[in-house]
Amino acid sequence: MLYILALLIGVIAGLRAMTAPAAVAWGSYLGWLPVTGTWASFMGHWITVGIFTILAIVELVADQLPSTPSRKVPPQFGTRIVVGAFCGAVIGATAGATIGGLVAGAIGAVIGTLGGAEVRGRLSVAFGKDPPAAFIEDAVAIIGGLLIVAAVA
């Protein structure tokens, strides 16, 4: 079950790179993710929550801009894989399975990045423009991230 949740948080990282660590940080801060005493204990600090929340909001706003680069170009794709692996590792750390969580999170990020780009392209065509598709993607990422973190608890 833990690896499935790590995979799913990776998918969220593929959709929204900063929403996944913000959800993990909030889950750690609220005590949903038992990271105290692990290498990931810093995720439960209010400063970490604040930083990742601000970065997630900036990403949500920036993604609505017409000049936003494709998530499939190497720098963005690589970032999403690293973030997914990190978030998966934090979830894995709650049960002493950091490496397994890291691998599952990275795989999930690849799935989320490629699948999310495909779905967003289809939604953009269906709506005739990109912003509604981006809002749907935002809602799925935020709600999904919080549900995944809550499921670990």
Side-chain angles (χ1 to χ4, degrees), residues 38-101:
T38 70
W39 65 268
S41 61
F42 71 94
M43 289 298 284
H45 196 278
W46 67 269
I47 292 175
T48 307
V49 171
I51 290 169
F52 281 127
T53 300
I54 290 169
L55 289 172
I57 292 168
V58 167
E59 181 185 31
L60 292 174
V61 171
D63 193 54
Q64 311 306 318
L65 302 174
S67 62
T68 303
S70 168
R71 72 184 72 199
K72 294 193 294 187
V73 298
Q76 283 77 11
F77 192 40
T79 299
R80 291 170 190 274
I81 293 171
V82 169
V83 170
F86 170 74
C87 292
V90 172
I91 288 177
T94 65
T98 300
I99 300 299

Side-chain angles (χ1 to χ4, degrees), residues 89-149:
V90 172
I91 288 177
T94 65
T98 300
I99 300 299
L102 182 139
V103 171
I107 292 168
V110 170
I111 293 167
T113 300
L114 298 177
E118 178 67 26
V119 170
R120 183 161 175 178
R122 290 178 185 216
L123 285 172
S124 295
V125 169
F127 286 112
K129 53 187 171 180
D130 194 45
F135 290 132
I136 292 169
E137 190 177 51
D138 295 345
V140 168
I142 292 167
I143 293 167
L146 292 174
L147 289 175
I148 291 164
V149 170

